[in-house]
Amino acid sequence: MRFVHTADWQLGMTRRFLGAGRVGQAVGEAQARFAQARLDAVAALGRVAADEGAAFVVVCGDVFESNLVGPDVVGRACEALRSFTVPVLLLPGNHDPADASLVMRRADFTRRCPPHVTVLDTPGVHEVAPGIEVVAAPWATKRPLSDLVGDRLRALEPAPEGVVRVLAGHGAVDVLSPDEQNPAVIRTAECRAALADGRVHYVALGDRHSTWQLHGEPRIAYSGAPEVTSHEETDPGNVLVVDVGADGAASVRPVRVGRWTFAREHAVVDTDDDLAALDARLDALDAPERTALRLAVEGTVTLRQRARLDEVTEAHAPVFAALEVDTTAVATRPDDADVEALGLTGFAAEAARELADAARDAADPAALDALALLHRLAVAR
Ligand SMILES: [Mn+2]
């Protein structure tokens, strides 16, 4: 039996660093494209399910970023779900728990939601098709007081002959969560025991946005988010195509559907060559319009090189979805050529030279600021 395991669509998510807008650019333009990318990833995974001959798609929680998402987000989600040709099961997670405000029970959702979609808002066994069952462990509140997956597993008998059973859960597993005080942590030993005695044949999890499998047990896995959500993720952008049998055989294959990248880069800049190399490196990055880059720069530069560094990053910024540059580790040390570049004579030249000495030798920030201002004025002139 083959199905698609996914989770953490987080539809309606916004990202502050995409929303700032820039001079000459529509405010939130990257944000709008990011929202569309999440929907595109959903449509793409629907095509994966069709192409792979999957029996169903299970979404293990956090379909929506929040139960408070707007009707535009809900309407577009329903439109994306209409494109699916196989049954889709939506599990409420910690972002969209099955409380009184559950977005998937709202009229704007139920009115547009296509009939092949089932909301797993009540815990227990759900028959997808003859011989195929999904055991739902939905979140009912934002703060569950027990291991919801373990609770469901303990309530099960071994699956009947010929029935393949998939558990759908959401939350942190014990081997990844160091928080021993959290009563809701999912105990992997209980999952292993349920796999061993045939109560379930696969444990499909959501919550972790990076693709992950339990070491030595591919049948306990997080699919990760189908489109990146944060710079902290190691392997987002996938869905899992899972083959499982009642005999315990399993194959789990990640398929990439996400197209965005949230990247971190580091650059050391001490010379003009380093600046040219950084410029070339930013030029060579693939698909900058779908890349949110956090660039950390370190090094020691002259005033002219510091100005050049700003020019380089500012020239690239408009083509990136976001380009955040951290220059706190860049030290500026004016040299004699910086002073000569000001084109000053007499007392003014003398004063500039004293500022340069103070900035370089005493690392005086006020002197450096004053000199940088002179430099900008000289360039403007
Ligand atoms: Mn999530």
Side-chain angles (χ1 to χ4, degrees), residues 8 10 62 94-95 170 207 209:
D8 300 283
Q10 313 289 151
D62 293 0
N94 64 307
H95 278 261
H170 187 93
D207 189 43
H209 291 192

Side-chain angles (χ1 to χ4, degrees), residues 3 5 149 153 166-167 169 171-176 186-196 200-206 208 210-224 240 242 244 248 250-252:
F3 68 98
H5 167 195
V149 168
L153 294 174
V166 173
L167 182 125
V173 291
D174 51 6
V175 294
L176 291 173
I186 297 167
R187 282 175 277 280
T188 45
E190 294 222 36
C191 299
R192 283 178 186 277
L195 289 166
V200 295
H201 303 104
Y202 184 86
V203 178
L205 297 174
R208 186 181 175 84
S210 304
T211 303
W212 182 91
Q213 291 177 325
L214 182 63
H215 185 69
E217 181 48 271
R219 293 175 297 173
I220 301 175
Y222 289 99
S223 59
L240 296 176
V242 181
V244 274
S251 121
V252 181

Side-chain angles (χ1 to χ4, degrees), residues 22 26 31 48 58 70 113 145 162 176 181 193 276 320 323 328 340 359 375:
R22 305 184 197 98
Q31 183 71 65
V48 169
V58 63
C113 180
L145 298 173
L176 291 173
Q181 304 304 313
F320 279 85
L323 178 58
T328 48
E340 271 155 35
H375 200 265

Side-chain angles (χ1 to χ4, degrees), residues 97-123:
D99 59 20
S101 67
L102 175 62
V103 54
M104 290 170 275
R105 285 192 202 121
R106 260 163 47 182
D108 54 344
F109 181 85
T110 55
R111 198 184 302 124
R112 293 191 88 87
C113 180
H116 55 263
V117 173
T118 302
V119 178
L120 300 175
D121 55 350
T122 51

Side-chain angles (χ1 to χ4, degrees), residues 3 10 34 42 49 55 73 96 99 111 113 124 128 155-156 213 232-233 238 262 280 303 326 331 360-361 369:
F3 68 98
Q10 313 289 151
F34 182 61
V42 168
V73 173
D96 47 7
D99 59 20
R111 198 184 302 124
C113 180
V128 181
L156 290 174
Q213 291 177 325
E232 317 310 322
E233 296 158 8
N238 304 309
F262 285 5
L303 214 48
D326 178 357
R360 184 173 54 234
D361 303 332
D369 283 350

Side-chain angles (χ1 to χ4, degrees), residues 1-2 55-56 126-134 162-166:
M1 191 275 289
R2 176 173 289 179
F56 65 94
H126 172 85
E127 186 180 71
V128 181
I132 302 176
E133 293 177 354
V134 167
V163 171
V164 180
R165 230 186 229 164
V166 173

Side-chain angles (χ1 to χ4, degrees), residues 15 79 167 238 298 374:
R15 281 291 172 248
E79 286 309 303
L167 182 125
N238 304 309
E298 68 168 289
L374 280 175

